Amino acid sequence: MIPLTSIFPLPLSSLFIIFLLCKRKDLHKLAGAKWAVVTGATDGIRRAFVYELAKMACLIQNNFSIILISRSQWKLDNVMSELESEFPEHRQVMNTNHSSMNSIRMRITLFIAEDYARSALKTVGNVNQTAGCLAHHVQIGVLVNNVGMTMPCPEILHKVRGDKDELARISTVNTLPMLMLSSAVLEYMALRKKGIIINITTGFALSDAPLWNVYSASKNYALHLSRTLRREYSSYGITIQTLTPMRVFTKSIVPKVDKPSFFVPSAENYARSALKTVGNVNETAGYCAHQLQIVINRFLPSCLYRRIVNRSTRKIRKSIRKDLEANGKT
């Protein structure tokens, strides 16, 4: 059989294989444990991941438990209520008769993470305590690292809105929780020889992105850390994946768009597509149209690619400034 890589250029063959030919892996077998942890789980893509993991729980004959980590109690309460409403059958207590496995229970545990961005020492202590507590008390099979913080507005470094602490907050939130939680769960995943870590970053992490300085650099951290960990744990049977999504239709998308499209999928469609790639590829955009954009960008002359990125960034900055002016926050 002739390999596809001999017919198409490698990026194109990879795109074809991953999104059209590869079947979804059994995540529960890869995980080796019943608990899934999703950080920043109350908004956008992260919230969609929670729902997709909850739906997967309906399709297997086993318990499936999800821990939601966020810095907002009321948002966690809202997600909890919505999940209980959409999956009411999972509120039932499973029959102690193990031969009756039709009634599956999913426990949604709310866990409030400490504010990651107060002071450096306190942040390290809080996140380390949170990570250690989680890993010690429950067997975590899946960790979705997606807590993040973006810039108030794209700008050159010394003109970033807010005080200098804003730079520290962005850098800390985008790197420290991922590092601490990964370190905590890997200790137990290594013992089981199974586990899944999904680090969600952004397309801006793939190359230098002027005016996105601290955001782009801190998001690139996930790529480098994931690549290093994959080599360190290559003999432990642990799946470590990095997702680099482009634009996704969420409440916070800038500039605003009216509805999802081929290149701007809904958060739900993105999460569904991304979970199908787990175990099939180490680094991916997670969505076919996004991966196509990345492939095209790689073939573009660097000068043309930078012009496109700069133009897109200027549009985003103009939109944000307009919103700030409308809210009297200029």
Side-chain angles (χ1 to χ4, degrees), residues 118 153 260 268 299:
R118 292 180 182 173
C153 184
E268 294 74 19
F299 285 106

Side-chain angles (χ1 to χ4, degrees), residues 149-171 209-216 317 320-321 324 329:
M149 183 177 179
T150 188
M151 297 168 63
C153 184
E155 192 55 87
I156 58 176
L157 189 61
H158 76 277
K159 289 186 178 182
V160 172
R161 295 178 65 89
D163 53 24
K164 296 301 180 184
D165 287 343
E166 185 74 4
L167 297 175
R169 281 191 288 270
I170 295 170
S171 179
L211 305 184
W212 292 103
N213 38 73
V214 64
Y215 177 67
S216 174
R317 181 167 63 171
I320 293 176
R321 285 178 172 176
L324 292 173
K329 296 181 181 179

Side-chain angles (χ1 to χ4, degrees), residues 295-314:
V295 170
I296 292 173
N297 290 340
R298 288 176 180 171
F299 285 106
L300 291 177
S302 58
C303 59
L304 178 58
Y305 171 71
R306 289 175 182 173
R307 186 179 301 175
I308 293 172
V309 172
N310 291 342
R311 182 181 177 183
S312 174
T313 300
R314 285 195 297 269

